[in-house]
């Protein structure tokens, strides 16, 4: 065993004691995979620009979920939370006492129970599917150590009228924390839901959240999925979102990354049925020494599918960014339309970004494109605004707001869009000329 495996083996053994869940097979296999793969380093192609080895030098605790009360998290609640389903994770574990379900037709179960009850076949089909695309020790570690995960079921012809807000909160007031939240969501035929995830750390100790969020979307279902990251500098995050479109369906995702230590977003969209449509949008606005890495996979398995991907980055001070987007078009996926663009603006000479859009096409009747740009703000546009009496800082803010607009407008939930707009506006007030 390597050092990382020895460090986590005690936790792994504790979780197996007295547990009969069918998920144990997945845990056993995942821990064996982690023992073999370990923590990815610079020789791992998918992690060459994001070095997380140093995070494992910290002695983390897998803390319990009963360290916070409602009063501790009230300030973290999203706008219009009074009309939303609120699911609260503390230190990686779901806490029912702090959560509120307002939609009667939304089924929520502990993942262990769902794996053994009437939804066992669905869990067996979709749980752990992300491991087929992310063959690294970090994904395996979540499967091996996650505890307190949930299963969300939206049945056939069910429209969830209240959005689902998911809060991932880490209590790092006393010591460094390792959190491993796990969720599996199933949308039945002609179902619809809007899901919003946020991440917060309370306290100044180091934290590392290693999340896996898997979704299965059946025929004619609709998923709106928004992820907002605006955490403290001592909070590190690897967030994996894995979405399978198993029927002709529509998926719209928006990822907003504004602050944190090391942030890695894995977003996989697998279009397994003909006539699927998927949209992936992202905005990262980094400053200080923060680092954000967006890895996306769009896998076109079936014909006549459409995907559109647009990620934009703004990097200031000593921040660093990575975009690695892959589009696969399998041989049966004829008449695929797939588009991918990454655009970046560097606001300082010390900020940097590595961008790598990729296409792997095995079909011959397709329309696919990809591209990337890295540059600075348009000097002519800045001069034009300055000549109209606008200050340098205000002119820069106007141009950056315009740069971000075509991502932000893809957030269809009005209170959340206004909330993100306010976060961006607040950040621009401090952007230096």
């Amino acid at each position: 065993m390597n050092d990382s495996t020895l460090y986590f083996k005690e936790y792994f053994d504790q979780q197996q004691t007295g547990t009969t869940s069918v998920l144990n097979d997945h845990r056993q296999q995942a821990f064996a995979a982690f023992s073999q793969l370990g923590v990815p380093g610079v020789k791992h192609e998918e992690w060459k620009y994001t070095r997380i080895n140093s995070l494992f030098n910290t002695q983390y605790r897998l803390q319990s979920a009963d360290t916070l009360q409602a009063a501790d998290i009230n300030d973290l609640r999203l706008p219009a939370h009074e009309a939303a389903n609120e699911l609260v994770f503390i230190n990686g574990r779901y806490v029912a006492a702090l959560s509120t379900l307002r939609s009667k037709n939304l089924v929520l179960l502990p993942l262990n129970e769902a794996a053994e009850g009437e939804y066992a076949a669905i869990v067996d089909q979709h749980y752990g599917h992300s491991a087929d695309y992310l063959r690294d020790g970090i994904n395996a570690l979540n499967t091996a150590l996650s505890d307190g995960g949930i299963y969300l079921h939206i049945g056939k012809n069910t429209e969830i009228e209240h959005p689902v807000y998911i809060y991932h909160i880490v209590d790092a007031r006393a010591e460094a924390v390792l959190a491993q939240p796990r969720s599996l969501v199933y949308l039945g035929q002609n179902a619809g839901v809007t899901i919003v995830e946020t991440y917060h750390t309370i306290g100044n100790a180091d934290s590392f959240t290693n999340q896996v969020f898997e979704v299965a979307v059946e025929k004619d279902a609709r998923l709106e999925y928004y992820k907002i990251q605006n955490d403290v500098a001592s909070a590190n995050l690897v967030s994996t979102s894995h979405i399978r479109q198993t029927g002709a369906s529509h998926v719209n995702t928006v990822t907003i990354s504004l602050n944190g230590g090391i942030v890695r977003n894995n977003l996989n969209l697998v279009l397994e049925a003909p006539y699927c449509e998927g949209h992936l949008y992202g905005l990262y606005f980094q400053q200080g020494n923060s680092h954000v890495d967006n890895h996306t996979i769009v896998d076109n398995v079936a014909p006549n599918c459409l995907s559109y991907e647009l990620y934009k980055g703004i990097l200031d001070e000593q921040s660093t960014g990575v975009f690695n987007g892959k589009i696969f078009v399998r041989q049966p996926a004829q008449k695929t339309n797939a588009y991918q663009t990454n655009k970046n603006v560097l606001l300082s000479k010390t900020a940097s970004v590595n961008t790598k859009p990729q296409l792997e096409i095995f079909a011959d009747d397709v329309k696919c494109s990809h591209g990337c740009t890295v540059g600075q703000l348009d000097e002519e546009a800045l001069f034009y605004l300055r000549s109209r009496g606008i200050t340098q800082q205000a002119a820069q803010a106007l141009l950056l707001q315009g740069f971000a607009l075509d991502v932000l407008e893809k957030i269809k939930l009005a209170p959340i869009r206004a909330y993100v707009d306010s976060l961006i506006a607040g950040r621009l007030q401090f952007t230096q000329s």
Side-chain angles (χ1 to χ4, degrees), residues 329-330 333-337 361 363-368:
V329 183
R330 309 299 178 179
Q334 303 295 333
K335 299 190 182 302
T336 289
N337 289 334
I361 302 173
D364 52 15
D365 185 8
V366 301
K367 293 181 180 179
C368 299

Side-chain angles (χ1 to χ4, degrees), residues 68-97:
L68 296 174
Q69 306 298 319
D72 298 319
I73 66 174
N74 283 339
D75 291 342
L76 306 179
R77 298 184 186 276
L78 290 167
H81 64 85
E82 303 88 351
N85 300 288
E86 294 187 285
L87 313 184
V88 178
F89 284 76
I90 304 295
N91 298 329
R93 296 175 175 87
Y94 174 69
V95 182

Side-chain angles (χ1 to χ4, degrees), residues 243-283:
I243 303 171
R244 297 180 71 183
Q245 294 183 253
T246 55
S249 53
H250 186 281
V251 171
N252 183 60
T253 72
V254 184
T255 302
I256 306 295
S257 300
L258 299 179
N259 204 8
I262 297 175
V263 176
R264 163 74 173 234
N265 294 310
N266 298 312
L267 176 56
N268 306 333
L269 185 65
V270 187
L271 296 82
E272 297 185 1
Y275 300 102
C276 286
E277 183 174 344
H279 297 259
L280 297 78
Y281 300 97
L283 174 69

